[in-house]
Amino acid sequence: MPNQFALDVTKIREEARRGITKGPVTPANTADLERLIDVLNQVVATEMVCYLRYTQNAIVAQGINRQQVADLFREHAGEELDHFQRVSDRINQLGGSPDMDPGTLVARSHTEYETPAETDLQEMIRENFVAERIVIETYTEIVRWIGESDPTTRRLIEDILKEEEDHADELNDLYQPAGAGGA
């Protein structure tokens, strides 16, 4: 039997009127919203920490290829800030409040923030590459966990995940393990 499209429009209209105080969240969204908002606030913290790390690294980077690497770091920082904003907006759509408390960002972040002891480009590339690999792994798990319960949030995280994979690929192109030369 082929998959059939069927809707009870009358029922949908009634539910839309009853649930108007829930904003865009309809019964089709079966996610545990409280837990989802908590997880998304971890993403908000992670993206801000990544933004700050990339920005700091772009400013202090030194070396022969400093400008090329600093430009890449600035580009990635801008994209991380965009991720931060998009996820914050989604939290708001879901009826939550994005947690932007600077005092707890690092504790909630999946990645770490450390000011580099040196301005070595390869060390900065390495640390940012590791951070990208961490977010790829954790965002992949978030996508799996969300499943079909909230397609909009899943697509948002999938879009961000693709951009994080692009970041990792670009960093991979620049990364030279110890003993292989410098950037």
Side-chain angles (χ1 to χ4, degrees), residues 13-64:
R13 288 177 183 155
E14 289 170 1
E15 178 55 40
R17 285 183 175 82
R18 270 194 313 274
I20 198 161
T21 60
K22 296 179 182 174
V25 180
T26 68
N29 185 322
T30 60
D32 174 348
L33 292 180
E34 185 176 325
R35 179 68 179 130
L36 181 59
I37 289 167
D38 179 59
V39 168
L40 292 177
N41 268 316
Q42 293 172 35
V43 172
V44 164
T46 301
E47 293 297 331
M48 182 50 67
V49 166
C50 289
Y51 164 77
L52 292 170
R53 186 182 50 258
Y54 273 125
T55 300
Q56 194 274 348
N57 288 182
I59 292 168
V60 303
Q62 294 181 7
I64 194 164

Side-chain angles (χ1 to χ4, degrees), residues 7 24-25 36 55 68 84 90 101-102 105 110 113 117 131 142 152-154 157-159 167-168 180 182:
L7 287 176
V25 180
L36 181 59
T55 300
Q68 172 194 7
F84 167 87
R90 183 61 183 158
D101 181 351
L105 279 174
H110 296 185
Y113 181 92
I142 292 170
T152 303
T153 302
R154 186 190 68 240
I157 298 298
E158 287 172 340
D159 289 346
H167 293 176

Side-chain angles (χ1 to χ4, degrees), residues 141-178:
E141 175 57 18
I142 292 170
V143 167
R144 184 210 59 76
W145 172 69
I146 292 172
E148 296 299 317
S149 68
D150 181 352
T152 303
T153 302
R154 186 190 68 240
R155 278 191 308 274
L156 170 63
I157 298 298
E158 287 172 340
D159 289 346
I160 293 171
L161 174 60
K162 196 262 185 230
E163 292 174 12
E164 302 296 9
E165 289 173 343
D166 289 344
H167 293 176
D169 187 50
E170 291 170 338
L171 292 167
N172 184 55
D173 290 345
L174 296 174
Y175 180 59
Q176 296 175 353

Side-chain angles (χ1 to χ4, degrees), residues 66-100:
R66 175 213 178 281
Q67 193 61 51
Q68 172 194 7
V69 174
D71 288 347
L72 180 69
F73 286 169
R74 282 188 189 91
E75 179 184 325
H76 287 193
E79 291 170 355
E80 304 296 356
L81 189 58
D82 178 64
H83 299 164
F84 167 87
Q85 185 65 52
R86 289 166 54 199
V87 174
S88 295
D89 288 341
R90 183 61 183 158
I91 291 169
N92 186 61
Q93 287 176 339
L94 293 171
S97 179
D99 186 348
M100 298 180 186

